[in-house]
Amino acid sequence: MAFKKAVKGTILAGGGALATVLGLSQFAHYRRKQMTLAYVEAAECISEPVNREPPSREAQLLTLQNTSEFDVLVIGGGATGCGCALDAVTRGLKTALVERDDFSSGTSSRSTKLIHGGVRYLQKAIMKLDIEQYRMVKEALHERANLLEIAPHLSAPLPIMLPIYKWWQLPYYWVGIKLYDLVAGSNCLRGSYVLSKSRALEHFPMLQKDKLVGAIVYYDGQHNDARMNLAIALTAARYGAATANYMEVLSLLKKTDPETGKQRVSGVRCKDVLTGQEFDVRAKCVINATGPFTDTVRKMDDKNATAICQPSAGVHIVMPGYYSPENMGLLDPATSDGRVIFFLPWQKMTIAGTTDTPTDVTHHPIPSEEDINFILNEVRNYLSCDVEVRRGDVLAAWSGIRPLVTDPKSADTQSISRNHVVDISESGLITIAGGKWTTYRSMAEDTIDAAIKEHNLKAGPSRTVGLFLQGGKDWSPTLYIRLVQDYGLESEVAQHLATTYGDKAFEVAKMASVTGKRWPIVGVRLVSEFPYIEAEVKYGIKEYACTAVDMISRRTRLAFLNVQAAEEALPRIVELMGRELNWDDYKKQEELETARKFLYYEMGYKSRSEQLTDRSEISLLPSDIDRYKKRFHKFDADQKGFITIVDVQRVLESINVQMDENTLHEILNEVDLNKNGQVELNEFLQLMSAIQKGRVSGSRLAILMKTAEENLDRRVPIPVDRSCGGL
């Protein structure tokens, strides 16, 4: 730590001279390199992980049961909880962590995917002369740099454009963004810059060009949030922490302090959610890091405890990748109601959000149609009129509950800072509340510092600055090439594995199945349009995945990218998991139903499916109705008023198109609103009306029927005299 501070001080002291000699870009590279060296030196103070691989969940449960007393027991497996476990165990403390659901199953997997200091918080700090907001931004910018260093495979800098539509805004926002760079200091990723109107449109062609003056581009970080959370948990497990998901805390254990005579928290009574087994876990110190459920645990300690968290729901939507450039995000600094909207490329899709609405705490937050439409309307304001922003293009949507720290003087949640609070109850329960994803490490450090002081634990200072997370140490940008060359993986799949698992990608590749094709040699995909492969399901079980929901949402990110693709992959995922975990048919069916319910309610499938129902109106012009009726009757040759699989097969055969019966059944079922095994004319017109309104997109039946009609119309009969006269 001393070495790191010395190096950093030297860089800051001599920065001006070096910048003059080397030039700004070379100096920035030199500065980042020096910081990396400092981080490595700090990490060398820590012994190597005690486990080459994380122990199995079963082994972790035995450790929890058989350890007489831990130094630290963390409740909560989100980013902050796992950060606390990693901080504690790397200080040499005997550490345990329990999580009611899966690691990152709550707020930590439902973020905007940014690692940032918070431009809007800096604005508030300056406008209100709020020193606390300023300190939070500065701390977050330091943590941003650290996170990009310790998990380079899961994170990367991202340029974000701030479009300017009024001349007076240009100097106003330019000063603000430059201050953001200045506050970052040596941790600045890259300097912000101004773009002319034409250059802005080159970088972001979809942008609304009318009245556009120019744009300002600044840099923040972006990451794969659930995988980052999991990497923290796995790293803690490798260093010796007993971590277990699906362990619910039923109550807090207490004992009388012989010196004071007061009751002190001494552990928890917990239950294995998967088996129902209950047992006690004892610890000198218990840490409450449960995010939105902070007050639930505090009331286990003291039923009269006052609430310190005010939950706020943030909804995000995912749209196709063509809505944004691959390497440029967009910030709307002032929406119609004063909120901030980000519009970002992520995992080759486009993510837009977020809202900020007071909410009740629940384990299963649901994105509302109102919030989805609010985001879409804001996006429309910034995109060109050539780009039709359609409700049907929302491929997934989710709501995350932010655990904001309550300010009693605040009238609404938007003005509440995400500063964190470390609270110590009379019985010694340590609670960490508030904060933000980016600052999870410093929050954990503050929490463990408080725990050591309160409970007289024997430990030194935090050692997590510069400590590589699982997969990060030997990762390089060209690692994927070795995967292609050594294993015969597709380039897209290899890149995905490298940026998801880092240097552990080779272990996944070793598990990959042979495709039976000339190329790729190995790597059978779960769904054709995404690079996730079957081997990831097997490897995901080693990463403590216990359910199909774990696999589609947090080991892979399919549920967050496309709910229909996730549903399509589910049967195969359940089959593979069942084989590894010895599930019987009843358990497999239960997993399928639970995962489909998760997609339907929590990932926006319900809102998507409600865009076309048997109650949907038909709002078409008479000419459109006639046109669509003619198209329908090309399939309904018998004028029955409905079409079946047989009708579609007949037309496809006439134009030499082959399609298997199961696929056809799926295609018709999407439009069979009353589920009677056939698509009626009225249902087809409802579909076409919904498509025209933009509520539905990508309908396979609509595209198939249109293509078939065009092929049939092109088949003009050949006259007899043109065919050599016949016989």
Side-chain angles (χ1 to χ4, degrees), residues 609-627:
S609 63
E610 286 176 350
Q611 301 308 307
L612 179 63
T613 70
D614 56 3
R615 297 181 299 278
S616 297
E617 293 182 3
I618 299 174
S619 301
L620 295 169
L621 295 172
S623 58
D624 288 332
I625 292 177
D626 288 342
R627 179 160 54 92

Side-chain angles (χ1 to χ4, degrees), residues 583-700:
W583 289 346
D584 58 22
D585 289 342
Y586 177 82
K587 176 63 175 175
K588 289 178 185 177
Q589 188 59 37
E590 182 182 54
E591 286 293 322
L592 273 174
E593 291 173 2
T594 301
R596 284 171 177 154
K597 185 177 179 182
F598 167 78
L599 292 173
Y600 188 71
Y601 289 105
E602 296 184 51
M603 300 311 299
Y605 211 153
K606 180 176 185 290
S607 293
R608 183 179 175 87
S609 63
E610 286 176 350
Q611 301 308 307
L612 179 63
T613 70
D614 56 3
R615 297 181 299 278
S616 297
E617 293 182 3
I618 299 174
S619 301
L620 295 169
L621 295 172
S623 58
D624 288 332
I625 292 177
D626 288 342
R627 179 160 54 92
Y628 294 137
K629 279 184 176 179
K630 288 177 182 177
R631 183 177 300 171
F632 186 84
H633 288 139
K634 287 184 184 295
F635 288 77
D636 180 22
D638 302 328
Q639 302 289 305
K640 305 183 298 296
F642 61 85
I643 58 175
T644 64
I645 289 177
V646 175
D647 295 316
V648 178
Q649 282 177 326
R650 175 182 51 78
V651 174
L652 293 180
E653 287 172 4
S654 70
I655 58 174
N656 298 318
V657 174
Q658 300 294 323
M659 192 173 293
D660 68 86
E661 192 170 323
N662 288 335
T663 303
L664 281 176
H665 177 75
E666 290 175 7
I667 291 173
L668 264 66
N669 193 53
E670 291 171 3
V671 189
D672 180 13
L673 304 179
N674 57 16
K675 303 304 176 188
N676 62 356
Q678 57 199 29
V679 175
E680 294 155 10
L681 175 60
N682 202 58
E683 291 172 326
F684 179 66
L685 294 176
Q686 286 174 314
L687 168 66
M688 301 314 296
S689 179
I691 289 173
Q692 276 200 8
K693 290 178 181 177
R695 295 207 309 259
V696 172
S697 65
S699 168
R700 292 187 288 178

Side-chain angles (χ1 to χ4, degrees), residues 491-519:
S491 181
E492 183 187 12
V493 170
Q495 289 181 55
H496 153 68
L497 294 182
T499 55
T500 300
Y501 304 95
D503 56 32
K504 298 294 181 183
F506 295 99
E507 296 181 20
V508 184
K510 289 174 185 175
M511 296 180 173
S513 304
V514 175
T515 64
K517 301 176 183 177
R518 184 184 62 81
W519 189 263

Side-chain angles (χ1 to χ4, degrees), residues 435-451:
K436 54 190 290 185
W437 223 121
T438 307
T439 58
Y440 85 89
R441 194 212 60 80
S442 61
M443 291 167 63
E445 180 179 342
D446 290 349
T447 306
I448 302 304
D449 284 346

Side-chain angles (χ1 to χ4, degrees), residues 509-531:
K510 289 174 185 175
M511 296 180 173
S513 304
V514 175
T515 64
K517 301 176 183 177
R518 184 184 62 81
W519 189 263
I521 299 170
V522 301
V524 178
R525 295 195 183 209
L526 289 167
V527 282
S528 59
E529 67 265 43
F530 289 96

